Amino acid sequence: MGTGDERELIFDPAFLTERQRAGRSCVVCHKSWPRPREDVGRLPDGARLYACRSCAAALPPAAPPPAGGWREAADTPPPDRRLAGEIPQQRCP
């Protein structure tokens, strides 16, 4: 991808409608008129996404990339939290 600002929101397209993915409606509230103009992030393929001014203000700021970069973070599996005791184990009756 490009070498632009790495601190931007990246949205999962599975949770967006076709109009949202095409940039024709707000990624938050789905409003399409007036057409959203605030550039709030992108899809993994690089397509830009837009939101209404009020919805854009409510979105969280983008997190900085991990120390090793996004590729390294994606290749590292998450820790098994069940082993750390964070998720209670359920037993069958």
Side-chain angles (χ1 to χ4, degrees):
M1 291 289 154
T3 59
D5 184 12
E6 296 296 324
R7 293 186 75 165
E8 65 181 351
L9 293 175
I10 300 174
F11 291 80
D12 184 346
F15 296 101
L16 301 175
T17 66
E18 182 179 335
R19 292 183 62 78
Q20 288 171 313
R21 290 189 304 266
R24 294 191 316 258
S25 67
C26 176
V27 295
V28 178
C29 72
H30 302 270
K31 187 167 95 173
S32 59
W33 186 258
R35 190 173 188 152
R37 297 177 187 262
E38 300 292 323
D39 186 343
V40 294
R42 65 179 176 87
L43 293 174
D45 67 2
R48 303 306 306 172
L49 296 173
Y50 300 92
C52 307
R53 181 170 289 160
S54 58
C55 290
L59 288 172
W70 292 115
R71 174 61 62 194
E72 182 179 311
D75 293 339
T76 306
D80 188 352
R81 295 184 307 156
R82 293 175 295 167
L83 299 178
E86 295 177 25
I87 300 175
Q89 300 290 325
Q90 295 185 4
R91 300 178 191 266
C92 296

Coordinates of all heavy atoms in Angstrom, one line a residue:
M1 N 0.8 -1.2 0.0 CA 0.0 0.0 0.0 C 0.9 1.2 0.0 O 2.1 1.2 0.0 CB -0.9 0.0 1.2 CG -2.0 -1.1 1.2 SD -3.2 -0.6 0.0 CE -3.8 -2.1 -0.5
G2 N 0.2 2.4 0.1 CA 1.0 3.6 0.0 C 1.8 3.9 1.3 O 1.7 3.2 2.3
T3 N 2.6 4.9 1.2 CA 3.4 5.3 2.4 C 2.8 6.5 3.1 O 3.5 7.2 3.8 CB 4.8 5.6 1.9 OG1 4.7 6.7 1.0 CG2 5.5 4.4 1.3
G4 N 1.5 6.6 3.1 CA 0.8 7.8 3.7 C 0.8 7.6 5.2 O 1.5 6.8 5.8
D5 N 0.0 8.4 5.9 CA -0.1 8.4 7.3 C -0.6 7.0 7.8 O -1.6 6.5 7.4 CB -1.1 9.5 7.8 CG -1.2 9.6 9.3 OD1 -0.3 8.9 10.0 OD2 -2.1 10.2 9.8
E6 N 0.2 6.3 8.6 CA -0.1 5.0 9.1 C -1.1 5.1 10.2 O -1.6 4.1 10.7 CB 1.1 4.3 9.5 CG 2.1 4.0 8.3 CD 1.5 3.1 7.3 OE1 0.7 2.1 7.6 OE2 1.7 3.3 6.1
R7 N -1.4 6.3 10.8 CA -2.3 6.4 11.9 C -3.7 6.8 11.4 O -4.1 8.0 11.4 CB -1.8 7.5 12.9 CG -0.5 7.1 13.6 CD -0.2 8.1 14.6 NE -1.1 7.9 15.7 CZ -0.9 8.4 16.9 NH1 0.2 9.1 17.1 NH2 -1.7 8.2 17.9
E8 N -4.4 5.8 10.9 CA -5.7 6.1 10.4 C -6.6 4.8 10.7 O -6.1 3.7 10.9 CB -5.8 6.4 8.9 CG -5.3 5.2 8.0 CD -5.4 5.6 6.6 OE1 -5.9 6.7 6.2 OE2 -4.9 4.9 5.8
L9 N -7.9 5.1 10.8 CA -8.8 3.9 11.1 C -8.9 3.0 9.9 O -9.1 3.5 8.8 CB -10.2 4.5 11.5 CG -10.2 5.3 12.9 CD1 -11.6 5.8 13.1 CD2 -9.8 4.4 14.0
I10 N -8.9 1.8 10.2 CA -9.1 0.8 9.1 C -10.3 0.0 9.5 O -10.4 -0.6 10.6 CB -7.9 -0.2 9.0 CG1 -6.6 0.7 8.6 CG2 -8.2 -1.2 7.9 CD1 -5.4 -0.1 8.6
F11 N -11.3 0.0 8.6 CA -12.6 -0.6 8.9 C -12.7 -2.0 8.3 O -12.2 -2.2 7.2 CB -13.8 0.3 8.3 CG -13.9 1.6 9.1 CD1 -13.1 2.7 8.8 CD2 -14.9 1.8 10.0 CE1 -13.2 3.9 9.5 CE2 -15.1 3.0 10.7 CZ -14.2 4.0 10.4
D12 N -13.5 -2.9 9.0 CA -13.7 -4.2 8.4 C -14.9 -4.1 7.5 O -16.0 -3.7 7.9 CB -14.1 -5.1 9.6 CG -14.2 -6.6 9.2 OD1 -14.4 -6.8 8.0 OD2 -14.3 -7.4 10.0
P13 N -14.7 -4.4 6.2 CA -15.8 -4.3 5.2 C -17.0 -5.2 5.5 O -18.1 -5.0 5.0 CB -15.2 -4.6 3.9 CG -14.0 -5.4 4.2 CD -13.5 -4.9 5.6
A14 N -16.8 -6.3 6.3 CA -17.9 -7.2 6.6 C -19.0 -6.5 7.4 O -20.1 -7.0 7.3 CB -17.3 -8.4 7.3
F15 N -18.7 -5.5 8.1 CA -19.7 -4.8 8.9 C -20.3 -3.6 8.2 O -21.0 -2.8 8.9 CB -19.1 -4.4 10.3 CG -18.7 -5.6 11.0 CD1 -17.4 -6.0 11.1 CD2 -19.7 -6.4 11.7 CE1 -17.0 -7.1 11.8 CE2 -19.3 -7.5 12.4 CZ -18.0 -7.9 12.5
L16 N -20.0 -3.3 7.0 CA -20.5 -2.1 6.3 C -21.4 -2.5 5.1 O -21.2 -3.6 4.5 CB -19.3 -1.3 5.7 CG -18.3 -0.8 6.8 CD1 -17.1 -0.2 6.1 CD2 -18.9 0.1 7.8
T17 N -22.3 -1.6 4.8 CA -23.2 -1.9 3.7 C -22.4 -1.5 2.4 O -21.3 -0.9 2.4 CB -24.4 -1.0 3.7 OG1 -24.0 0.4 3.6 CG2 -25.2 -1.2 5.0
E18 N -23.0 -1.8 1.2 CA -22.4 -1.5 0.0 C -22.2 0.0 -0.2 O -21.2 0.5 -0.7 CB -23.2 -2.1 -1.2 CG -22.6 -1.9 -2.5 CD -23.4 -2.4 -3.7 OE1 -24.2 -3.4 -3.4 OE2 -23.3 -1.9 -4.8
R19 N -23.2 0.8 0.2 CA -23.1 2.2 0.1 C -22.1 2.8 1.0 O -21.4 3.7 0.6 CB -24.5 2.8 0.4 CG -25.6 2.5 -0.6 CD -26.9 3.2 -0.3 NE -26.8 4.7 -0.3 CZ -26.7 5.4 -1.4 NH1 -26.8 4.9 -2.6 NH2 -26.6 6.7 -1.3
Q20 N -21.9 2.2 2.2 CA -20.8 2.7 3.1 C -19.4 2.4 2.5 O -18.5 3.2 2.5 CB -21.0 2.1 4.4 CG -22.1 2.6 5.2 CD -22.4 1.8 6.5 OE1 -22.4 0.6 6.5 NE2 -22.5 2.5 7.6
R21 N -19.3 1.1 2.0 CA -18.0 0.7 1.4 C -17.7 1.6 0.1 O -16.5 1.8 -0.1 CB -18.0 -0.7 1.0 CG -18.0 -1.7 2.2 CD -17.9 -3.1 1.8 NE -18.8 -3.6 0.8 CZ -19.9 -4.2 1.1 NH1 -20.3 -4.5 2.4 NH2 -20.8 -4.6 0.2
A22 N -18.7 2.1 -0.6 CA -18.4 2.9 -1.8 C -18.2 4.4 -1.4 O -18.0 5.2 -2.3 CB -19.6 2.7 -2.7
G23 N -18.4 4.7 -0.1 CA -18.2 6.1 0.3 C -19.4 7.0 0.0 O -19.3 8.2 0.1
R24 N -20.6 6.4 -0.2 CA -21.8 7.1 -0.5 C -22.7 7.3 0.7 O -23.7 8.1 0.6 CB -22.6 6.5 -1.7 CG -21.8 6.5 -3.0 CD -22.7 6.0 -4.1 NE -23.5 4.9 -3.9 CZ -23.2 3.6 -4.3 NH1 -22.1 3.4 -5.0 NH2 -24.0 2.6 -4.0
S25 N -22.4 6.7 1.8 CA -23.1 6.9 3.0 C -22.2 6.9 4.2 O -21.1 6.3 4.2 CB -24.3 6.0 3.2 OG -23.8 4.7 3.4
C26 N -22.6 7.5 5.3 CA -21.8 7.6 6.5 C -21.5 6.2 7.1 O -22.4 5.4 7.2 CB -22.6 8.4 7.6 SG -21.8 8.5 9.2
V27 N -20.3 6.0 7.5 CA -19.9 4.6 8.0 C -20.5 4.4 9.4 O -20.4 3.3 9.9 CB -18.4 4.4 8.1 CG1 -17.8 4.4 6.7 CG2 -17.7 5.5 8.9
V28 N -21.0 5.5 10.1 CA -21.5 5.3 11.4 C -23.1 5.3 11.4 O -23.7 4.3 11.8 CB -21.1 6.5 12.3 CG1 -21.7 6.4 13.7 CG2 -19.6 6.5 12.4
C29 N -23.7 6.3 10.8 CA -25.2 6.4 10.9 C -25.9 6.0 9.6 O -27.1 6.1 9.6 CB -25.6 7.8 11.3 SG -25.3 9.1 10.0
H30 N -25.2 5.7 8.5 CA -25.8 5.3 7.2 C -26.4 6.5 6.4 O -26.9 6.2 5.4 CB -26.8 4.2 7.4 CG -26.3 3.0 8.0 ND1 -25.7 1.9 7.3 CD2 -26.2 2.6 9.3 CE1 -25.4 1.0 8.1 NE2 -25.6 1.4 9.4
K31 N -26.4 7.7 7.0 CA -27.0 8.8 6.3 C -26.3 9.1 5.0 O -25.1 9.1 4.9 CB -27.0 10.1 7.2 CG -27.7 11.2 6.6 CD -27.9 12.3 7.7 CE -26.8 13.3 7.6 NZ -27.0 14.5 8.5
S32 N -27.1 9.3 3.9 CA -26.4 9.5 2.6 C -26.7 10.9 2.0 O -26.2 11.2 1.0 CB -26.9 8.4 1.6 OG -28.3 8.4 1.5
W33 N -27.6 11.6 2.7 CA -27.9 13.0 2.2 C -27.9 14.0 3.4 O -28.6 13.7 4.3 CB -29.2 13.1 1.4 CG -29.4 14.4 0.8 CD1 -30.2 15.4 1.3 CD2 -28.8 14.9 -0.4 NE1 -30.1 16.5 0.5 CE2 -29.2 16.2 -0.5 CE3 -27.8 14.4 -1.3 CZ2 -28.8 17.0 -1.6 CZ3 -27.5 15.2 -2.3 CH2 -27.9 16.4 -2.5
P34 N -27.2 15.0 3.4 CA -26.2 15.3 2.4 C -25.0 14.3 2.5 O -24.8 13.7 3.5 CB -25.7 16.7 2.8 CG -26.0 16.9 4.2 CD -27.2 16.0 4.4
R35 N -24.4 14.1 1.3 CA -23.3 13.1 1.2 C -22.2 13.4 2.3 O -21.8 14.5 2.4 CB -22.7 13.2 -0.1 CG -21.8 12.0 -0.4 CD -21.4 12.0 -1.9 NE -20.7 10.8 -2.2 CZ -20.6 10.3 -3.4 NH1 -21.3 10.8 -4.4 NH2 -20.0 9.2 -3.6
P36 N -21.8 12.4 3.0 CA -20.8 12.6 4.0 C -19.5 13.0 3.4 O -19.1 12.5 2.3 CB -20.6 11.2 4.7 CG -21.2 10.2 3.7 CD -22.2 11.0 2.9
R37 N -18.8 14.0 4.0 CA -17.6 14.6 3.4 C -16.3 14.4 4.3 O -15.2 14.7 3.9 CB -17.8 16.0 3.2 CG -18.9 16.3 2.2 CD -19.1 17.7 2.0 NE -20.3 18.0 1.1 CZ -20.2 18.2 -0.1 NH1 -19.1 18.3 -0.7 NH2 -21.3 18.5 -0.8
E38 N -16.5 13.9 5.5 CA -15.3 13.8 6.4 C -14.6 12.5 6.2 O -15.2 11.4 6.4 CB -15.8 13.9 7.9 CG -16.5 15.2 8.3 CD -15.5 16.3 8.3 OE1 -14.4 16.2 8.6 OE2 -16.0 17.4 7.9
D39 N -13.4 12.5 5.7 CA -12.6 11.4 5.5 C -12.2 10.8 6.8 O -11.4 11.4 7.6 CB -11.4 11.7 4.6 CG -10.5 10.5 4.2 OD1 -10.7 9.5 4.8 OD2 -9.7 10.7 3.3
V40 N -12.7 9.6 7.2 CA -12.4 9.0 8.5 C -11.5 7.8 8.5 O -11.2 7.3 9.6 CB -13.7 8.7 9.2 CG1 -14.5 10.0 9.5 CG2 -14.6 7.8 8.5
G41 N -11.2 7.3 7.4 CA -10.4 6.1 7.4 C -10.5 5.3 6.0 O -10.8 5.9 5.0
R42 N -10.1 4.1 6.1 CA -10.1 3.3 4.8 C -10.5 1.8 5.1 O -10.5 1.4 6.2 CB -8.8 3.4 4.1 CG -7.7 2.8 4.9 CD -6.3 2.9 4.2 NE -5.2 2.4 5.0 CZ -4.9 1.1 5.0 NH1 -5.5 0.2 4.3 NH2 -3.8 0.7 5.8
L43 N -10.7 1.2 4.0 CA -10.9 -0.3 4.0 C -9.5 -0.9 3.8 O -8.5 -0.3 3.4 CB -11.8 -0.7 2.8 CG -13.2 -0.3 2.9 CD1 -14.0 -0.7 1.6 CD2 -13.9 -0.9 4.1
P44 N -9.3 -2.2 4.1 CA -8.0 -2.9 4.0 C -7.5 -2.7 2.5 O -6.3 -2.7 2.3 CB -8.3 -4.3 4.3 CG -9.4 -4.2 5.3 CD -10.3 -3.1 4.8
D45 N -8.4 -2.6 1.5 CA -7.9 -2.5 0.2 C -7.5 -1.1 -0.2 O -7.1 -0.8 -1.4 CB -8.9 -3.1 -0.8 CG -10.2 -2.3 -0.9 OD1 -10.3 -1.2 -0.2 OD2 -11.1 -2.7 -1.6
G46 N -7.7 -0.2 0.7 CA -7.3 1.2 0.4 C -8.4 2.2 0.1 O -8.2 3.4 0.0
A47 N -9.6 1.7 -0.1 CA -10.8 2.5 -0.5 C -11.0 3.5 0.7 O -11.1 3.0 1.9 CB -12.0 1.7 -0.8
R48 N -11.3 4.7 0.4 CA -11.5 5.7 1.5 C -13.0 5.6 2.0 O -13.9 5.3 1.2 CB -11.3 7.1 0.9 CG -9.9 7.4 0.3 CD -8.8 7.1 1.3 NE -8.9 7.7 2.6 CZ -8.0 7.4 3.6 NH1 -7.1 6.6 3.4 NH2 -8.2 8.1 4.7
L49 N -13.2 5.9 3.2 CA -14.5 5.9 3.9 C -14.8 7.3 4.5 O -13.9 8.0 4.9 CB -14.5 4.8 4.9 CG -14.4 3.4 4.4 CD1 -14.3 2.4 5.6 CD2 -15.5 3.0 3.5
Y50 N -16.1 7.6 4.5 CA -16.5 8.9 4.9 C -17.6 8.9 6.0 O -18.3 7.9 6.1 CB -17.0 9.7 3.7 CG -15.9 9.9 2.7 CD1 -15.8 8.9 1.6 CD2 -15.0 10.9 2.7 CE1 -14.8 9.0 0.7 CE2 -14.0 11.0 1.8 CZ -13.9 10.1 0.8 OH -12.9 10.2 -0.1
A51 N -17.7 10.0 6.7 CA -18.7 10.1 7.8 C -19.2 11.5 7.8 O -18.6 12.4 7.3 CB -18.1 9.7 9.1
C52 N -20.4 11.6 8.4 CA -21.0 13.0 8.7 C -20.0 13.7 9.6 O -19.3 13.1 10.4 CB -22.3 12.9 9.4 SG -23.5 11.8 8.6
R53 N -20.1 15.0 9.7 CA -19.2 15.8 10.6 C -19.4 15.4 12.0 O -18.5 15.2 12.8 CB -19.5 17.3 10.4 CG -18.6 18.1 11.3 CD -18.6 19.6 10.9 NE -17.9 19.7 9.6 CZ -18.1 20.7 8.8 NH1 -18.9 21.7 9.1 NH2 -17.5 20.8 7.7
S54 N -20.7 15.2 12.5 CA -21.0 14.9 13.9 C -20.5 13.5 14.2 O -20.0 13.2 15.3 CB -22.4 15.1 14.2 OG -23.2 14.3 13.3
C55 N -20.7 12.5 13.2 CA -20.3 11.1 13.5 C -18.8 11.0 13.5 O -18.2 10.3 14.2 CB -20.9 10.2 12.4 SG -22.6 10.0 12.6
A56 N -18.1 11.8 12.6 CA -16.6 11.8 12.5 C -16.0 12.2 13.9 O -15.0 11.7 14.3 CB -16.1 12.6 11.4
A57 N -16.7 13.2 14.5 CA -16.2 13.7 15.8 C -16.3 12.7 16.9 O -15.5 12.7 17.8 CB -16.9 15.0 16.1
A58 N -17.2 11.7 16.7 CA -17.5 10.7 17.7 C -16.6 9.5 17.6 O -16.5 8.7 18.5 CB -18.9 10.3 17.7
L59 N -15.9 9.4 16.5 CA -15.1 8.2 16.2 C -13.8 8.3 17.1 O -13.3 9.4 17.3 CB -14.7 8.1 14.8 CG -15.8 7.6 13.8 CD1 -15.4 7.7 12.4 CD2 -16.2 6.2 14.2
P60 N -13.3 7.2 17.5 CA -12.0 7.2 18.3 C -10.8 7.6 17.5 O -10.8 7.3 16.2 CB -11.9 5.8 18.8 CG -12.6 4.9 17.8 CD -13.7 5.8 17.3
P61 N -9.8 8.1 18.0 CA -8.6 8.4 17.2 C -7.9 7.1 16.9 O -8.1 6.1 17.5 CB -7.7 9.2 18.2 CG -8.2 8.9 19.6 CD -9.7 8.6 19.4
A62 N -7.2 7.1 15.8 CA -6.5 5.9 15.3 C -5.3 5.7 16.2 O -4.7 6.6 16.7 CB -6.1 6.1 13.9
A63 N -5.1 4.4 16.4 CA -4.0 4.0 17.3 C -2.7 4.0 16.4 O -2.7 3.7 15.2 CB -4.2 2.6 17.8
P64 N -1.6 4.3 17.1 CA -0.3 4.2 16.3 C 0.0 2.8 15.9 O -0.5 1.8 16.6 CB 0.7 4.7 17.3 CG 0.1 4.5 18.6 CD -1.4 4.6 18.4
P65 N 0.8 2.5 14.9 CA 1.1 1.2 14.5 C 1.9 0.5 15.6 O 2.7 1.2 16.3 CB 1.9 1.3 13.2 CG 2.2 2.7 13.0 CD 1.3 3.5 14.0
P66 N 1.8 -0.8 15.7 CA 2.6 -1.6 16.7 C 4.1 -1.4 16.4 O 4.5 -1.0 15.3 CB 2.2 -3.0 16.5 CG 1.0 -3.0 15.8 CD 0.9 -1.7 15.0
A67 N 5.0 -1.6 17.4 CA 6.4 -1.4 17.3 C 7.0 -2.2 16.1 O 7.8 -1.7 15.4 CB 7.1 -1.8 18.6
G68 N 6.5 -3.4 15.9 CA 7.1 -4.2 14.8 C 6.4 -4.0 13.5 O 6.7 -4.6 12.5
G69 N 5.4 -3.1 13.5 CA 4.6 -2.9 12.3 C 3.3 -3.7 12.3 O 3.1 -4.7 13.0
W70 N 2.4 -3.4 11.4 CA 1.1 -4.1 11.3 C 1.3 -5.5 10.9 O 0.6 -6.4 11.4 CB 0.2 -3.4 10.4 CG -0.3 -2.0 10.8 CD1 0.0 -0.8 10.3 CD2 -1.1 -1.7 12.0 NE1 -0.5 0.2 11.0 CE2 -1.2 -0.3 12.1 CE3 -1.6 -2.5 13.0 CZ2 -1.9 0.3 13.1 CZ3 -2.4 -1.9 14.0 CH2 -2.5 -0.5 14.0
R71 N 2.2 -5.8 10.0 CA 2.4 -7.2 9.5 C 2.8 -8.1 10.6 O 2.2 -9.2 10.8 CB 3.4 -7.2 8.3 CG 3.7 -8.6 7.8 CD 2.6 -9.3 7.2 NE 2.1 -8.7 6.1 CZ 0.9 -9.0 5.5 NH1 0.2 -9.9 6.0 NH2 0.5 -8.3 4.5
E72 N 3.7 -7.7 11.4 CA 4.2 -8.5 12.5 C 3.0 -8.7 13.5 O 2.9 -9.8 14.0 CB 5.4 -7.9 13.2 CG 5.9 -8.7 14.4 CD 7.1 -8.1 15.0 OE1 8.0 -7.6 14.3 OE2 7.1 -8.0 16.3
A73 N 2.3 -7.7 13.8 CA 1.2 -7.8 14.7 C 0.1 -8.8 14.2 O -0.5 -9.6 15.0 CB 0.5 -6.5 15.0
A74 N -0.1 -8.8 12.9 CA -1.1 -9.7 12.3 C -0.7 -11.1 12.3 O -1.5 -12.1 12.4 CB -1.5 -9.2 10.9
D75 N 0.6 -11.4 12.2 CA 1.2 -12.7 12.2 C 1.3 -13.3 13.6 O 1.5 -14.5 13.7 CB 2.6 -12.7 11.5 CG 2.5 -12.4 10.0 OD1 1.4 -12.5 9.5 OD2 3.5 -12.0 9.4
T76 N 1.2 -12.5 14.6 CA 1.3 -13.0 16.0 C -0.1 -13.4 16.5 O -1.0 -12.6 16.6 CB 1.9 -12.0 16.9 OG1 3.1 -11.5 16.3 CG2 2.2 -12.5 18.3
P77 N -0.3 -14.7 16.9 CA -1.6 -15.1 17.4 C -1.8 -14.5 18.8 O -0.9 -14.2 19.5 CB -1.5 -16.6 17.5 CG 0.0 -16.9 17.6 CD 0.7 -15.8 16.8
P78 N -3.1 -14.2 19.1 CA -3.4 -13.6 20.4 C -3.1 -14.7 21.5 O -3.2 -15.9 21.2 CB -4.9 -13.3 20.3 CG -5.4 -14.2 19.3 CD -4.3 -14.4 18.3
P79 N -2.8 -14.2 22.7 CA -2.5 -15.2 23.8 C -3.7 -15.9 24.2 O -4.9 -15.4 24.0 CB -2.0 -14.3 24.9 CG -2.6 -12.9 24.6 CD -2.6 -12.8 23.1
D80 N -3.6 -17.1 24.6 CA -4.7 -17.9 25.1 C -5.1 -17.4 26.5 O -4.4 -17.8 27.5 CB -4.4 -19.4 25.1 CG -5.6 -20.3 25.4 OD1 -6.7 -19.7 25.7 OD2 -5.5 -21.5 25.3
R81 N -6.1 -16.6 26.6 CA -6.5 -16.0 27.8 C -7.1 -17.0 28.8 O -7.1 -16.7 30.0 CB -7.5 -14.8 27.6 CG -6.8 -13.7 26.8 CD -7.7 -12.5 26.6 NE -9.0 -12.9 26.1 CZ -10.1 -12.2 26.3 NH1 -10.1 -11.1 26.9 NH2 -11.3 -12.6 25.8
R82 N -7.5 -18.1 28.3 CA -8.1 -19.1 29.3 C -7.0 -19.6 30.2 O -7.2 -19.9 31.3 CB -8.7 -20.3 28.5 CG -9.9 -19.9 27.8 CD -10.4 -21.0 26.9 NE -9.4 -21.3 25.9 CZ -9.4 -22.4 25.2 NH1 -10.3 -23.3 25.3 NH2 -8.4 -22.6 24.3
L83 N -5.7 -19.7 29.7 CA -4.6 -20.2 30.5 C -4.2 -19.2 31.5 O -3.7 -19.6 32.6 CB -3.4 -20.5 29.6 CG -3.7 -21.6 28.5 CD1 -2.4 -21.8 27.7 CD2 -4.1 -22.9 29.2
A84 N -4.4 -18.0 31.3 CA -4.0 -16.9 32.2 C -5.1 -16.7 33.3 O -4.9 -15.9 34.2 CB -3.8 -15.6 31.5
G85 N -6.2 -17.4 33.2 CA -7.3 -17.3 34.2 C -8.2 -16.1 34.0 O -9.0 -15.7 34.8
E86 N -8.1 -15.4 32.8 CA -8.9 -14.3 32.5 C -10.3 -14.6 32.2 O -11.3 -13.9 32.4 CB -8.3 -13.4 31.4 CG -7.0 -12.8 31.8 CD -6.4 -12.1 30.6 OE1 -7.1 -11.6 29.7 OE2 -5.1 -11.9 30.6
I87 N -10.5 -15.8 31.6 CA -11.8 -16.3 31.2 C -12.2 -17.5 32.0 O -11.4 -18.4 32.1 CB -11.9 -16.6 29.7 CG1 -11.5 -15.4 28.8 CG2 -13.2 -17.2 29.3 CD1 -11.4 -15.7 27.4
P88 N -13.3 -17.4 32.8 CA -13.6 -18.5 33.6 C -13.9 -19.8 32.8 O -14.5 -19.8 31.7 CB -14.9 -18.1 34.4 CG -15.4 -16.9 33.6 CD -14.3 -16.4 32.8
Q89 N -13.4 -20.9 33.3 CA -13.6 -22.2 32.6 C -15.0 -22.7 33.0 O -15.4 -22.6 34.1 CB -12.5 -23.2 33.1 CG -11.1 -22.8 32.7 CD -10.9 -22.9 31.3 OE1 -11.4 -23.7 30.6 NE2 -10.1 -21.9 30.8
Q90 N -15.7 -23.2 32.0 CA -17.0 -23.7 32.3 C -17.0 -25.3 32.2 O -16.3 -25.8 31.3 CB -18.0 -23.2 31.2 CG -18.2 -21.7 31.4 CD -19.3 -21.2 30.4 OE1 -20.0 -22.0 29.7 NE2 -19.5 -19.9 30.4
R91 N -17.6 -25.9 33.0 CA -17.7 -27.4 33.1 C -19.0 -27.9 32.7 O -20.0 -27.3 33.0 CB -17.3 -27.9 34.5 CG -15.9 -27.4 34.9 CD -15.6 -27.9 36.3 NE -14.4 -27.3 36.8 CZ -13.2 -27.9 36.8 NH1 -13.1 -29.0 36.2 NH2 -12.2 -27.3 37.3
C92 N -19.1 -29.0 32.0 CA -20.3 -29.6 31.6 C -20.9 -30.2 32.9 O -20.2 -30.8 33.7 CB -20.1 -30.6 30.5 SG -19.5 -30.0 29.0
P93 N -22.3 -30.2 33.0 CA -22.9 -30.8 34.2 C -22.8 -32.3 34.2 O -22.5 -33.0 33.3 CB -24.4 -30.4 34.1 CG -24.5 -29.7 32.8 CD -23.2 -29.5 32.2

